């Protein structure tokens, strides 16, 4: 592992700490971070450009080879979290701005950190990458449509304007990143090692911008918003897993779907909230989600990894069949 890879791994492993630190500093001295608000969309564009630089045709092979897992994961992503957000907003009678903020993050595609969490959880990483890629490419249509459908009960939503925003901040940077990879492959292959650091810095700055702009409202209702986010995220993991179980997916696939559903592209939620809704509190659920799912994700991944290791250690080395794959499937691994 070269120095850049080590730095990237360290940045990814400590991501939640940097987000928490940035949020704390923005709460303490908001005037030093408010200027970042105008750069939220470009910062997210940088993250999406990096994703485009890493996309490969092989990421989409599972769409053809294993359509069931991909189809279930994509549908679950765009059904479970949006409906959970809508239900939580109704159940807790959230104020309009907060309700829309929770729905915004619920309607976003999966976050790229879900791929790392699936790897750590010993789930189907290839399936996770494919679901993330497909949901991200579908986001320009699905995210504005779902927000319009679910959030219009609280605040007016301009579908066309939101569609253009998602195209500009997600689709265009991804396409440009893919083009850069195609034409400048030697340079891009070296730059890929630094992408985790760039992504962490960009998301941390987005969180700082959001928190600084709504400091007083966070002090007023921050714990309540955190509780809603924790519930939203946790139920996403649980229902995502149960959906996989309902359709008889393999254990590794169920873990991938669970993590994909539970972890969101919260940076996109913050960008849309900032661009289309005047009250800064609308972006706060996305900012808190960005922090929280990078705590819950590693916890869940660690649990599943430890469970997988225990089950592997309990296998009989000379069971007679010599087919460990079959044995794992029999015990539900």
């Amino acid at each position: 592992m070269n120095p850049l890879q080590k730095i990237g791994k360290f940045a990814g492993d400590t991501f939640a700490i940097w987000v928490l630190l940035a949020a704390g500093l923005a709460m303490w001295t908001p005037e030093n971070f408010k200027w970042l608000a105008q750069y939220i969309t470009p910062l997210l564009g940088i993250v999406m450009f990096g994703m485009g630089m890493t996309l490969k045709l092989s990421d989409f092979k599972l769409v053809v080879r294993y359509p069931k897992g991909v189809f279930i994961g994509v549908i679950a992503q765009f059904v479970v979290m949006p409906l959970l957000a809508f239900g939580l907003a109704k159940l807790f009678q959230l104020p309009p701005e907060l309700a829309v903020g929770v729905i915004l993050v619920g309607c976003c595609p999966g976050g790229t950190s879900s791929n790392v969490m699936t790897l750590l959880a010993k789930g189907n990483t290839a399936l996770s990458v494919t679901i993330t890629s497909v949901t991200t490419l579908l986001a320009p249509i699905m995210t504005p449509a779902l927000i319009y459908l679910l959030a219009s009960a609280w605040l007016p939503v301009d579908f066309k304007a939101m569609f253009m925003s998602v195209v500009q901040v997600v689709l265009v940077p991804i396409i440009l990143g893919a083009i850069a990879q195609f034409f400048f492959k030697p340079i891009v292959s070296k730059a890929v090692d630094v992408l985790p650091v760039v992504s962490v810095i960009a998301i941390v700055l987005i969180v700082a911008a959001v928190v600084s702009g709504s400091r007083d409202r966070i002090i007023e209702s921050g714990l309540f918003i955190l509780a809603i986010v924790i519930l939203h995220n946790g139920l996403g993991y649980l229902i995502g897993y149960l959906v996989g179980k309902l359709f008889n997916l393999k254990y590794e696939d169920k873990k991938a779907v669970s993590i994909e559903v539970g972890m969101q592209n919260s940076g996109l939620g913050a960008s849309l909230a900032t661009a289309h809704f005047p009250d800064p509190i609308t972006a706060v659920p996305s900012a808190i989600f960005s922090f929280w799912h990078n705590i819950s994700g590693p916890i869940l991944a660690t649990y599943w990894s430890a469970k997988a290791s225990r089950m592997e250690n309990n296998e009989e080395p000379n069971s007679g069949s010599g087919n460990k794959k079959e044995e794992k499937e029999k015990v539900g691994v």
Side-chain angles (χ1 to χ4, degrees):
M1 187 179 291
N2 64 45
L4 284 177
Q5 289 174 325
K6 289 180 180 179
I7 294 171
K9 185 178 185 303
F10 173 77
D13 292 343
T14 57
F15 181 69
I17 296 174
W18 299 116
V19 171
L20 182 60
L21 180 62
L25 289 173
M27 289 285 288
W28 186 29
T29 58
E31 63 279 0
N32 292 326
F33 296 93
K34 286 184 178 179
W35 61 275
L36 287 170
Q38 60 187 314
Y39 298 108
I40 288 177
T41 297
L43 286 168
L44 183 60
I46 291 171
V47 176
M48 293 295 100
F49 179 78
M51 181 179 178
M53 289 171 65
T54 60
L55 277 181
K56 301 178 180 65
L57 287 176
S58 60
D59 294 339
F60 299 93
K61 284 183 178 179
L62 282 184
V63 176
V64 177
R65 290 177 58 196
Y66 306 108
K68 180 180 176 182
V70 176
F71 180 78
I72 290 169
V74 171
I75 295 299
Q77 175 68 60
F78 286 125
V79 171
V80 173
M81 291 301 271
L83 291 183
L84 276 175
F86 182 83
L88 290 170
K90 287 287 188 181
L91 178 65
F92 292 98
Q93 299 182 345
L94 299 182
E97 293 79 11
L98 277 181
V100 171
V102 173
I103 289 171
L104 273 173
V105 73
C107 295
C108 288
T112 53
S113 55
S114 61
N115 307 149
V116 179
M117 294 304 109
T118 302
L119 175 66
L120 295 176
K122 298 185 178 179
N124 189 336
T125 308
L127 177 61
S128 174
V129 170
T130 303
I131 294 172
T132 299
S133 301
V134 173
T135 57
T136 300
L137 292 177
L138 289 175
I141 293 293
M142 295 302 299
T143 296
L146 288 167
I147 294 170
Y148 179 80
L149 180 66
L150 300 175
S152 295
W154 283 274
L155 292 174
V157 177
D158 188 333
F159 171 82
K160 184 178 179 181
M162 198 163 286
F163 167 78
M164 291 306 301
S165 289
V166 182
V167 167
Q168 291 168 8
V169 79
V170 174
L171 196 58
V172 171
I174 285 178
I175 291 173
L176 291 176
I179 291 172
Q181 180 188 177
F182 182 80
F183 286 103
F184 307 103
K185 195 167 186 178
I187 298 173
V188 169
S189 62
K190 294 179 181 179
V192 164
D193 292 338
V194 79
L195 287 180
V197 179
V198 174
S199 296
V200 167
I201 292 172
I203 297 298
V204 164
L205 291 177
I206 289 172
V207 170
V210 170
V211 171
S212 65
S214 50
R215 174 181 176 270
D216 294 338
R217 298 288 297 276
I218 292 174
I219 292 173
E220 179 184 338
S221 55
L223 289 177
F224 178 60
I225 301 173
L226 176 62
I228 296 293
V229 166
I230 291 174
L231 194 56
H232 192 194
N233 174 238
L235 287 173
Y237 290 139
L238 176 62
I239 297 176
Y241 184 85
L242 292 176
V243 167
K245 188 173 183 178
L246 177 66
F247 289 95
N248 297 315
L249 295 183
K250 293 180 180 179
Y251 186 40
E252 290 80 3
D253 295 355
K254 286 186 282 191
K255 289 190 280 188
V257 171
S258 171
I259 293 172
E260 279 299 312
V261 172
M263 300 187 77
Q264 302 292 92
N265 186 341
S266 47
L268 176 59
S271 176
L272 292 175
T274 304
H276 297 281
F277 299 96
D279 194 328
I281 196 68
T282 308
V284 170
S286 293
I288 294 179
F289 203 104
S290 181
F291 159 68
W292 174 251
H293 79 176
N294 282 286
I295 292 177
S296 64
I299 291 172
L300 182 59
T302 301
Y303 165 75
W304 266 329
S305 177
K307 183 179 178 182
S309 298
R310 287 196 303 270
M311 298 182 80
E312 288 170 4
N313 291 334
N314 288 335
E315 288 179 354
E316 293 285 344
N318 297 309
S319 60
S321 69
N323 192 333
K324 288 188 175 182
K325 184 177 180 181
E326 285 183 4
E327 292 170 9
K328 288 182 180 181
E329 289 176 350
K330 286 178 183 177
V331 295
V333 180

